[in-house]
């Protein structure tokens, strides 16, 4: 696991966007899995902007949505699908067959999981995952206690996730379950970048890097990924020992 620390959110976002572009330039038919939430907002915007400026061909690229709130439709501005549509899929002008997301209002969520797993297998795996981190160490909706061996699954949301999750919705929204790509997919992905910014993430980032690998803190899985990278702004890195800080870019 590598750690890179950037002076601020803008620099972190720029580096993330550049990595996404480089991945596609090296492999035009790359499969890229994206988290939603506040952290990936600027990285995704910069990616779309730079893609246009540099005229990078994305006609063969596939995008996957990492997770979704169960029961929240894509028209709801708090849904992950809404975020990805607005920030990435629509601005890029993707064809329908170029992205896969969970339909979390489906009556058959198990089938949704099977469809996602099949989409990933048919593309021979994920090339790049850009994930965020919850205050409880979740990645996607892989909540504390989840098995590292899970592929896509439906999960009861942790209390912290239910409470913090309200920040995405304009009015109180009942969310009890999530549907998510699993950590076995993450382990099999060719490259995983966990991004975090802001002081509020500093404590969980310290645990992610320093605690023993445990399913109680799903993000500790980053320590055992063969090509895992944690990219932080200075605030999210503020509780790490000084020896990490020389890496600041
Ligand atoms: C959310 C999402 C995750 C996201 C994380 C952090 O609940 N399910 O995919 O990465 O929590 O979100 P944010 O970037 O808004 O802090």
């Amino acid at each position: 696991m590598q750690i890179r620390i950037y002076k601020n959110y803008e620099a972190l976002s720029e580096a993330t966007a550049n990595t996404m572009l480089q991945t596609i330039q090296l492999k035009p038919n790359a499969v890229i899995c994206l988290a939603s939430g506040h952290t990936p907002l600027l990285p995704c915007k910069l990616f779309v902007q730079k893609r246009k400026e540099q005229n990078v061909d994305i006609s063969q690229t596939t995008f996957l949505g990492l997770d979704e709130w169960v029961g929240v439709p894509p028209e709801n501005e708090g849904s992950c699908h809404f975020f990805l549509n607005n920030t990435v899929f629509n601005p890029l002008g993707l064809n329908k067959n170029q992205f896969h997301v969970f339909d979390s209002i489906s009556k058959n969520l198990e089938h949704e999981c099977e469809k996602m797993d099949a989409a990933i297998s048919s593309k021979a795996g994920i090339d790049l995952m850009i994930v965020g981190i919850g205050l409880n160490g979740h990645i996607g909706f892989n909540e504390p206690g989840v098995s590292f061996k899970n592929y896509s699954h439906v999960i009861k949301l942790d209390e912290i996730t239910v409470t913090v999750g309200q920040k995405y919705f304009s009015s109180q929204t009942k969310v009890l379950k999530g549907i998510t790509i699993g950590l076995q997919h993450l382990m099999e992905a060719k490259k995983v970048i966990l991004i975090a910014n802001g002081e509020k993430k500093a404590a969980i980032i310290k645990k992610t890097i320093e605690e023993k690998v445990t399913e109680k803190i799903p993000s500790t899985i980053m320590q055992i990924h063969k090509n895992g990278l944690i990219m932080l702004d200075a605030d999210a890195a503020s509780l790490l020992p000084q020896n990490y800080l020389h890496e600041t870019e």
Side-chain angles (χ1 to χ4, degrees), residues 91-105:
L92 287 180
L94 296 184
N95 292 323
K96 276 239 151 78
N97 61 2
Q98 279 186 277
F99 60 89
H100 297 271
V101 290
F102 292 111
D103 172 5
S104 76
I105 53 170

Side-chain angles (χ1 to χ4, degrees), residues 35-40 66-67 69 131-134 138-141 161 167-168 201:
S36 43
H38 291 162
T39 318
L66 175 65
D67 55 3
W69 307 98
V131 301
I133 183 169
H138 74 203
I139 290 181
F141 281 133
T161 306
K167 70 178 179 174
Y168 306 114
K201 296 283 172 76

Side-chain angles (χ1 to χ4, degrees), residues 4 14-24 128 130 191 193 229 231:
R4 287 195 202 141
E14 185 107 358
T16 309
N18 287 341
T19 305
M20 290 166 72
L21 281 174
Q22 283 153 11
T23 302
I24 298 169
L128 173 66
I130 306 284
K191 186 179 177 87
I193 302 179
L229 172 62
M231 294 185 21

Side-chain angles (χ1 to χ4, degrees), residues 6 19 29 53 59 66 89-90 102 104 111 124 130 144 163 172 174 177 181 189 195 212 218 224 242:
Y6 296 86
T19 305
N29 64 349
E53 285 162 5
S59 61
L66 175 65
F89 302 161
N90 291 341
F102 292 111
S104 76
H111 184 52
I130 306 284
T163 311
Q172 192 73 17
K174 203 172 164 194
K177 287 181 181 177
I181 284 177
I195 52 174
K212 212 170 83 213
I224 52 171
Q242 282 296 318

